[in-house]
């Protein structure tokens, strides 16, 4: 039934995730975050480090659904390999078929809100 | 560096996700949720429908990282194919290397908390 | 402008949250979860322990917005008081004005999906 | 037991939330987001609009736990008052007792990751 929608290896997705290492004796998680960022860099996908509350990590990443999800999984692997026994990640991910989001993405939305506010004040 | 950790096609993951259809003229999303459940059923993965706040949908699903993520992507495809222009999903997903979670998973954790509470009261 | 909508101390909310203690030398978080459950029990609000991926904790809770949020904050206080230096929580919360959700809530939604599936199979 | 931890009206929290209007016939949610931003502005709390995947809305906000949660509830009220029948919000919120996060917060964390990466390359 969903043949007319792009399969998951091409379905464009915009995501925002927070990866939280657990079972580490110190509350700060800078080294794990840095390791994850190296994985993101190698992926070739568009990403932007962001903070999301007092979480371990938050970043935006966009690209084809499968590629985005594999990269986040690779972050888990890399952080486990550093000796982290347990990882909990929260991912917000969106897709749309009404218009292309393959350019602009997260940045485009911030701009749009700013325009609406400017036009009303 | 992460060679000793299972690759993402075998890394066992326990997830909990909420899929929210957007751009529908009615606030109820029952048909979309039912469609998603059919996708889950076909996947062969272990899953359990759950509610997560006043969200569109919440369910637990577990299995290899890549398989879990592909199934959630297939839910997006199926719900888009029903005419939903935009979908926002929140996924909480966890992995661990200190012990096997390939059996028990979510159910095991609920039991463990109940034991701790019983032993203290 | 929002005067016709219930103020936050009476606006009915259905939530689902995961509390993750950080900076603990062990990956398991059973004692912290049990402590949080005692706080929920004392609150008098309707709640139900649930699992949400390999997260530290997941539960459903519903009631007036302010009451729900204060109870989750009390969980943070109680878990910090046990010696947890850092806590990250993910909350999914929903409200609606089109119909009452003050009875049924999460349970009602699961039933509705089951009905849709049954009627189609 | 949690007397030594700040009560929820002073416990400092750093949050990141996405508010998703449901039951609207159009997939774009710019006007609702703009309305929410006006509520944030009036609150006097520190906030920063951000995008979080293809979600309806994402922003960082920080301040005392109760104040942060009340403002998010006020956003729900304001968006309901515009005619939105149902709203689903995802909130990531963190607190810590090992060091003050009342200055720096989200911005401080991004800087710290950048420093770690710079020192290693």
């Amino acid at each position: 039934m969903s043949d007319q929608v792009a399969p998951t290896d091409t379905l464009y997705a915009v995501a925002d995730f927070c990866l939280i290492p657990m079972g580490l004796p110190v509350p700060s998680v800078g080294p794990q975050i840095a390791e994850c960022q190296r994985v993101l860099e190698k992926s070739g996908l568009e990403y932007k480090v962001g903070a999301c509350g007092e979480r371990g990590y938050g970043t935006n990443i966009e690209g084809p659904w499968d590629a985005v999800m594999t990269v986040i999984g690779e972050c888990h692997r890399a952080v486990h390999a550093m000796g982290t026994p347990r990882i909990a990640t929260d991912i917000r991910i969106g897709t749309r078929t009404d218009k292309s989001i393959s350019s602009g993405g997260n940045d485009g939305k911030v701009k749009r809100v700013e325009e609406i506010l400017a036009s009303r004040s």
Side-chain angles (χ1 to χ4, degrees), chain A residues 76-109:
Chain A
H76 272 237
R77 285 187 75 208
V79 174
H80 277 311
M82 294 173 77
T84 311
R86 188 175 180 176
I87 303 170
T89 291
D90 183 55
I91 306 168
R92 296 169 179 155
I93 188 162
T95 57
R96 59 194 310 177
T97 53
D98 60 327
K99 62 174 180 176
S100 169
I101 49 170
S102 63
S103 64
N106 284 323
D107 285 343
K109 281 183 294 179

Side-chain angles (χ1 to χ4, degrees), chain A residues 11-90:
Chain A
L11 182 65
Y12 200 83
V14 179
D16 152 15
F17 74 99
C18 285
L19 184 157
I20 305 184
M22 296 175 72
L24 299 178
V26 289
S28 53
V29 294
Q32 287 75 22
I33 294 173
E35 181 66 22
C36 183
Q37 190 162 342
R38 273 186 286 266
V39 171
L40 294 167
E41 185 59 36
K42 267 188 274 181
S43 76
L45 295 178
E46 203 178 326
Y47 75 94
K48 185 182 168 190
V49 173
C52 43
E54 197 48 21
R55 309 301 299 275
Y57 188 56
T59 208
N60 286 149
I61 182 168
E62 47 184 282
W65 181 285
D66 290 354
V68 166
M69 292 312 201
T70 298
V71 167
I72 301 176
E74 290 294 338
C75 283
H76 272 237
R77 285 187 75 208
V79 174
H80 277 311
M82 294 173 77
T84 311
R86 188 175 180 176
I87 303 170
T89 291
D90 183 55

